[in-house]
Every structure is written in structure tokens, then in C-alpha cells.
Amino acid sequence: MSSPSDVGHMEKFLRDRRDSGSKLLVAYITGGYRGWEAAVESAAAAGADAIEIGIPFSDPVMDGPVIQEASQAALETGATPASVLAAVPGLDTGVPHAVMTYYNLAHHPGHERFASTLAKSAIDAAILPDLPLVESGPWREAAANAGIETIMLAAPTTPDHRLPELCEASKGFVYAVGLLGVTGERAALAATATEIARRCKEVTDKPVLTGVGIGSPEQAVEASSVADGVIIGSAVVRRLLDGSGAEGVGDLVAAYRAALDAG
Amino acid sequence: MVMTDPNKEGRFGDFGGRFVPETLIPACEELEEAFREAWSDADFVEEFHRILRDYGGRPSPLTECYRLSEDLGVRVLLKREDLNHTGSHKINNVIGQALLARRMGKSRLVAETGAGQHGVASATAAALLDMECKVYMGEVDVKRQALNVFRMQLLGAEVETVTSGSKTLKDAVNEALRDWVATVEHTHYCLGSVMGPHPYPWMVRTFHHVIGDEAHEQCLKLMNKLPDVVVACVGGGSNAAGIFSGFSDTDARLVGVEPAGGAAVGRGVPGVVHGMASYLMQDEVGQVQEAESISAGLDYPGVGPEHAYLSAIGRAEYPAVTDQEVVEAFQLLSRTEGIIPALESAHALAWVVRESSSLQGQVVLLNLSGRGDKDVDQMMDVLGPGNIK
Ligand SMILES: Cc1ncc(COP(=O)(O)O)c(C=O)c1O
């Protein structure tokens, strides 16, 4: 269990909301994609409890077609880590921010430098899906020193004996990967989604959020029957790709919010 | 020993490791365990060598190049991996991995391919061992290596064209990894080079060690001495690792030749992609750059971590050659020795030709990793029927 002193802003914020009886909703948006800033604000206004901002990377191996397309488009229009991060402090959200990107973008500038850039850019937490627990020590230490919470992913294949350590290492919340596979909406909630959340909840009292594969408000409710909430990514980004813009993103997030609030 | 086992984190010096999504970590651990166990089982090792012999055609010969040697003033010996079944060194690794997959109870192989040689080898092993096989190949490569696409299909594999990113080998690896993340319970990722997460770089090199072992013995038998230089082309670096591993503890100079447009070691910038920390071509913020090479099999912005290590400690050197030099070497070997090399392998020869004045009188062992049949179509476009020198 964490001592209160190492509870960061993301975790504290989400714990408070959870403990007040709310299911948590985190929305992912690809930074640098046309209209992303307005979409972030609109997702927050529509009831997201935190925002995940993707920093596009050339080789997004954990992402399915929707987020790949948005990342590639953002890169083609010149998005860089610096350009995305520079915009974050100006966003009016009122909720914590995480970045979601790939490890080479932290490795290349160096852990300390990347972590301090995040901290200066109104970022609270980082998700690096290709940095598994076994390789994550040096980054997590540098991040913690800069006040950045590193959110770790627990996968359906993660064995029981590793889960306590993984949940202990995770800061902000624990990201329970809902299925075997990459990001993208699925027609039905995978059986693995509730199972991995249950296994995480057994070993941690940190917020446990299920992400990857959530494709409808109904699935979000189902996943949240065990988890403390959900992360929606491809569903949100699809609204940007299909031209629905910030308004479409806001409507979508509002629909998830309403479903989760209604239980 | 220079080319020894990596440490328990899968590192060769600062390079290697296991930078894959958490989902794949148990599969990598299981694979490492299965490989350690199988490789210490005499029956497994014997079956591996039996198949390479009776099916793959090993040992591959060592060919002395009389005319070329006279031309260059350098004694050139070719290790003839082009004569293996399926036409390249790739079969060694694939037989090893397919046997291992079967032993682990996995019924499906996924593979990435650039030139198509690893894809063809994987499809071949899948047919031999009655497994399902899916090969990811970039759209650019599907076009320039159309013959190999059809070969894979003939062998019963499904070939999926990858249209993301640079549409070459790098993106085929991404797509194969995405497949594996979703199918890991019954699928083995049959990775085609000494790259990727631990244990792949080490395991793939071990399956190719036979190249270096044979060549070492063949050199002694032929000359009663070892070569002065051992040279091989480097994409991910598997054929080079295989032949280097037979000579890394000798005085031989080890030379891995990269394409100028894919010189990961040459540029020397460390990075992390495809499961490994190694040298990686990147832009100023860390986005992976697209390689550009006439040869699909070397069109890769990274390199296996053990090569990064061998370079860092100064044991091997990694010069680059241009497409133009490669095209000339391709024709030179065809004309002087009656051997049409793979464009990949022609990189190694291009370096020997360029350096021949400083190599006078020396013995150079060159790993001829594959044959050039697959490249003939592409070279007809490059050279034009009337343009052959
Ligand atoms: C004939 C041949 N040589 C070399 C390579 C490059 O691979 P590696 O560097 O792993 O030997 C390939 C890859 O497709 C190939 O087909």
C-alpha cells in the first residue's frame, strides 16, 4: 500500500471521485490531430475524470487502426512531442492529464529531461505501453523524482505472482488491459476485461481502470461492475477522424458519463 | 568468449532487453525457458541438425572464388548459404523456431518479412510441420518481391500486405507484433532476425551458429588457417551473427555491411523499438526513421542488439555501401563466378570490392546469405535489358 506522501495528483483526484461513489471515465485523444485541443476540453466538460493525451509515435505497436491513423495524420502535419506538450498548459479541463506514448520518445531525450518536460507541461502521469514492469525501473524513478506518476498496464496474461508488484509500482491508477490485443472498439466486452480488473482489485486499493476494447456505454457499465472505471480511446478518436469534431467527442463522452452514472 | 549468452535481463552490454507490452512478457519468458530446455535436450538438437541436413541441405559448401580473387587481388571464399533449401540462411532459424513452437504446443506461426526470404522459410517450415502460417509484408516489398509472395502462397501461407508507415520491414514487424499481442496463447512469433525482445536475438543467433561453426572447420580444412576477414551483410543481422559467432574468438576482423540508407550502427544513435534497445535510425525527437535501400531485406532502421554491442566494444565494424556499389557487385559475382547473389549478400561483396586495395593478399570469408533469383525481376527494371555491363 502506498503511503499518502507518494500519492500524486492523478491518483488522489481519481481516488476522491471513486470514494465519493462515482465510476471513473478517462478519455484518450491523440495529441496533434486536427482539433485535438478543443476535443480535450470538450471531453473534460462532458464529464471525463481525466484525459489521456497521446503523443504520436512512428511505431505504435499497441494501437489498432483508428489510433494508428490519427497518429500518422498528426505526424504528417508536423506534430512533435514539444508541439503537443506546449499546448497542454493552455487547456481548460479542470482534471488531471496523462500522456500516453511509446518509450523511445522518453528514452531519446533522456528520462530526466523527458520527465521534467512533462512536469512543466501540466502533465501528471505517463503511460508507456511498450515499457513493461521488468524494464521500467529507471524511468519510474526519474518520473517520480519529477513528480510524474507512471501508470502501469496489467494484461490478461500477467501471472498472479506478478500482479502485486505491478500494482504497487503503478502510480495514478492501474490500467487493466481488457483483452489480448491492441486498442480498438470491439462488438462485445471480452471476458478477460472483468477478469483482469477483478484480479487487480484483489491486490490493490488504487483505482483500477479497464481500457482497450471498450466500444459502447453498455460495455463501459459492464466493465465497471468490477473495475473502478474505464478508459475510452478509439471510440473517441473515431469521432475526430469522421469529422464530428469536439462536439461529437463531447456527445460521446456525455453518453458514457450518463451510462456510468446511471450504473 | 565474445559472443556469449546475454545476461539474465537479455542484455549484451547496454543493448537488448525486453521492451514489449506487458501482455507479451509471459510469452517471452515462456519462450526463453522452452528454448533453454530444448537446446539442452540432445534429442531436440539432433532433430534440428537432422532436418537442416536431410531437408535443408546442410552443410553448405565453402566455395573458393578463383576468377574474382584474381581480379581483386584478395582471396575470396564464399559460405554458400544461398544453396540452402529456400535459397537463404533464413531456413536455419525457422526450422529451430518451428520445432520449438511445436514443442511448446503452438499451432500457428506469424512472421514478418522484408525480402520475402524469411516469409518463404517460415511458410516452408509451417508446411513441413503442419502448422498454420501468416506472413506480414510491407506493400512496397510485396511489389518488389512479388515472386516470393507467390511462393509463400504456394506453400500454404497467408500473406498480409501492410500499408502502415513506411510499408516495409519495420511496419511488417509492427503488424506481426500486433497479431501476436492478440493471439499469443496459440501463436508463436517466428521472428526473422537477431532482433526483438529477449530471447530472440540470442536464440536466433544460436540457430544460425551452425553457419560459423561449419565455415570455421571448412576454412581450416581448406587452408589450414583461418580467414583474415569475415564479412556479411546486416539488416537485422542474423546471417552476420551466425557467421561471426564461429570467428569472434579468433583474430579475424569482423565486418558487417549495412546499406547506406539503413545504417543503424553507422549512425550510432541508441534507441528502443521492436522490443530491443539497440542502435536505431531516428529523427531529432526520437521518431523512427524509414530506411531506404535497394534491398528489401536490409531496408530496416534498426539492428540486432548484439551487433550494437560488438560495435560498441570495437570487436566488429559496420561500414555502409551504396545502392550503386551493390548493383555493381551483384553483376560482378554473376559474371566472374556464375553465382547470382541476393541483393542483400551483394552488400558484403560491394564492401570487399571497395576495400580491395587495402585487403591485398588477405583471405576474406564472405557469407553469401542468399541467392538472387528473387531479385532478378527488380534488377531487370534497374538495369534494363540493354544496360547490362
Ligand atoms: C538473403 C538475405 N540476406 C540477408 C538478409 C538480412 O537479414 P539478416 O541481416 O538478419 O541476415 C535477408 C533478409 O531478408 C536475406 O533475404
Side-chain angles (χ1 to χ4, degrees):
Chain A
M1 297 294 121
S2 321
S3 63
S5 66
D6 49 52
V7 174
H9 178 55
M10 172 75 78
E11 182 171 332
K12 179 157 188 338
F13 191 91
L14 294 181
R15 270 181 187 272
D16 287 351
R17 291 214 168 173
R18 175 191 68 182
D19 296 346
S20 71
S22 184
K23 287 294 179 187
L24 304 171
L25 178 61
V26 174
Y28 165 92
I29 285 157
T30 302
Y33 187 82
R34 195 164 38 83
W36 72 278
E37 291 132 307
V40 165
E41 293 185 334
S42 146
D49 299 301
I51 304 288
E52 239 185 70
I53 296 165
I55 302 179
F57 179 57
S58 52
D59 294 82
V61 289
M62 257 307 275
D63 286 306
V66 168
I67 294 177
Q68 279 180 52
E69 187 183 335
S71 297
Q72 178 119 8
L75 287 172
E76 279 165 11
T77 54
T80 64
S83 73
V84 171
L85 290 172
V88 180
L91 299 177
D92 178 18
T93 65
V95 296
H97 305 139
V99 293
M100 138 90 200
T101 192
Y102 288 84
Y103 176 58
N104 199 49
L105 295 186
H107 178 269
H108 187 84
H111 294 162
E112 278 74 26
R113 212 174 120 204
F114 189 68
S116 82
T117 307
L118 295 182
K120 283 184 223 139
S121 309
I123 299 295
D124 303 291
I127 304 173
L128 302 170
D130 60 343
L131 188 67
L133 183 64
V134 285
E135 298 287 359
S136 67
W139 159 256
R140 283 190 287 113
E141 192 183 324
N145 289 338
I148 296 294
E149 298 156 87
T150 301
I151 295 161
M152 302 301 292
L153 284 75
T157 50
T158 303
D160 282 336
H161 68 80
R162 186 166 295 140
L163 271 184
E165 192 195 343
L166 192 146
C167 291
E168 178 60 31
S170 193
K171 307 291 174 196
F173 61 86
V174 174
Y175 193 132
V177 178
L179 48 74
L180 290 179
V182 295
T183 57
E185 302 149 87
R186 308 294 199 277
L189 189 73
T192 44
T194 43
E195 176 61 14
I196 182 63
R198 184 189 61 69
R199 291 169 56 216
C200 290
K201 295 283 293 175
E202 274 172 9
V203 298
T204 186
D205 70 345
K206 289 174 186 166
V208 173
L209 278 78
T210 302
V212 182
I214 305 279
S216 71
E218 295 70 37
Q219 291 177 26
V221 170
E222 191 185 341
S224 301
S225 66
V226 181
D228 296 313
V230 294
I231 302 146
I232 50 174
S234 296
V236 180
V237 173
R238 198 158 53 76
R239 294 305 185 285
L240 285 179
L241 294 181
D242 73 13
S244 311
E247 200 179 323
V249 167
D251 291 347
L252 180 87
V253 172
Y256 277 82
R257 178 79 270 161
L260 288 173
D261 289 348
Chain B
M1 276 206 341
V2 177
M3 294 180 76
T4 177
D5 292 358
N7 73 9
K8 71 180 193 324
E9 283 86 40
R11 291 254 189 332
F12 303 92
D14 294 335
F15 305 99
R18 201 170 258 169
F19 295 87
V20 288
E22 203 65 55
T23 306
L24 294 177
I25 292 291
C28 291
E29 289 173 345
E30 184 198 3
L31 182 63
E32 179 188 348
E33 175 125 342
F35 171 62
R36 281 184 195 282
E37 186 248 338
W39 204 244
S40 61
D41 174 354
D43 291 341
F44 180 89
V45 176
E46 195 195 301
E47 183 174 23
F48 170 70
H49 286 294
R50 180 184 61 74
I51 294 176
L52 288 186
R53 183 189 67 224
D54 299 344
Y55 183 76
R58 300 210 73 90
S60 68
L62 188 73
T63 298
E64 172 124 35
C65 293
Y66 295 104
R67 289 190 59 203
L68 181 69
S69 299
E70 178 144 348
D71 270 13
L72 298 176
V74 180
R75 186 172 179 188
V76 179
L77 307 174
L78 301 179
K79 178 61 176 162
R80 299 293 305 278
E81 293 300 297
D82 61 317
L83 293 178
N84 292 336
H85 180 46
T86 72
S88 80
H89 69 292
K90 299 282 183 188
I91 193 79
N92 305 326
N93 168 45
V94 153
I95 292 295
Q97 287 199 45
L99 285 173
L100 194 57
R102 188 179 67 180
R103 190 179 169 104
M104 292 166 70
K106 307 228 167 173
S107 58
R108 178 173 176 267
L109 300 178
V110 288
E112 83 295 338
T113 198
Q117 289 302 99
H118 174 62
V120 166
S122 299
T124 299
L128 180 69
L129 298 182
D130 189 19
M131 300 172 90
E132 198 187 322
C133 180
K134 179 159 181 177
V135 180
Y136 291 92
M137 187 169 189
E139 191 176 31
V140 170
D141 298 333
V142 164
K143 290 202 180 106
R144 61 180 161 176
Q145 302 284 343
L147 184 72
N148 272 344
V149 175
F150 190 64
R151 284 170 82 196
M152 289 183 259
Q153 288 163 342
L154 273 177
L155 292 159
E158 182 190 347
V159 180
E160 177 140 338
T161 303
V162 176
T163 56
S164 57
S166 61
K167 307 177 174 56
T168 60
L169 184 54
K170 163 176 94 77
D171 308 279
V173 175
N174 290 340
E175 216 49 62
L177 280 168
R178 291 183 185 116
D179 183 309
W180 197 33
V181 167
T183 59
V184 59
E185 287 170 319
H186 64 281
T187 294
H188 171 70
Y189 181 12
C190 186
L191 227 166
S193 193
V194 285
M195 44 184 259
H198 178 54
Y200 284 100
W202 168 53
M203 177 177 74
V204 174
R205 182 248 283 165
T206 304
F207 289 141
H208 283 304
H209 194 93
V210 61
I211 305 172
D213 273 349
E214 285 176 11
H216 187 119
E217 205 184 297
Q218 288 165 323
C219 284
L220 287 178
K221 194 162 165 213
L222 177 73
M223 311 182 288
N224 216 0
K225 65 168 185 173
L226 293 171
D228 301 302
V229 181
V230 178
V231 60
C233 65
V234 173
S238 67
N239 86 88
I243 197 151
F244 286 2
S245 64
F247 298 89
S248 59
D249 299 316
T250 74
D251 292 332
R253 186 177 163 194
L254 305 179
V255 181
V257 184
E258 297 188 296
V265 187
R267 300 187 192 192
V269 186
V272 176
V273 81
H274 295 159
M276 60 185 172
S278 188
Y279 289 131
L280 178 66
M281 288 170 51
Q282 311 155 67
D283 71 7
E284 63 288 350
V285 304
Q287 306 291 0
V288 182
Q289 287 177 320
E290 299 176 4
E292 218 165 293
S293 166
I294 191 170
S295 121
L298 306 186
D299 216 341
Y300 183 67
V303 67
E306 193 170 23
H307 289 293
Y309 170 70
L310 291 173
S311 170
I313 64 168
R315 178 61 189 94
E317 56 200 287
Y318 296 86
V321 295
T322 65
D323 286 353
Q324 186 55 41
E325 291 172 307
V326 169
V327 168
E328 276 162 27
F330 177 85
Q331 296 173 85
L332 179 67
L333 193 67
S334 305
R335 292 255 161 150
T336 55
E337 298 297 329
I339 297 170
I340 301 176
L343 279 173
E344 289 77 16
S345 324
H347 284 67
L349 181 61
W351 177 82
V352 176
V353 172
R354 188 171 77 202
E355 293 300 315
S356 56
S357 60
S358 69
L359 297 171
Q360 289 297 304
Q362 298 193 19
V363 180
V364 173
L365 170 66
L366 186 157
N367 198 19
L368 196 73
S369 56
R371 64 177 187 233
D373 307 42
K374 70 185 175 58
D375 301 313
V376 167
D377 225 33
Q378 188 188 349
M379 291 307 285
M380 262 165 64
D381 286 344
V382 171
L383 296 170
N387 281 342
I388 292 184
K389 294 206 254 198

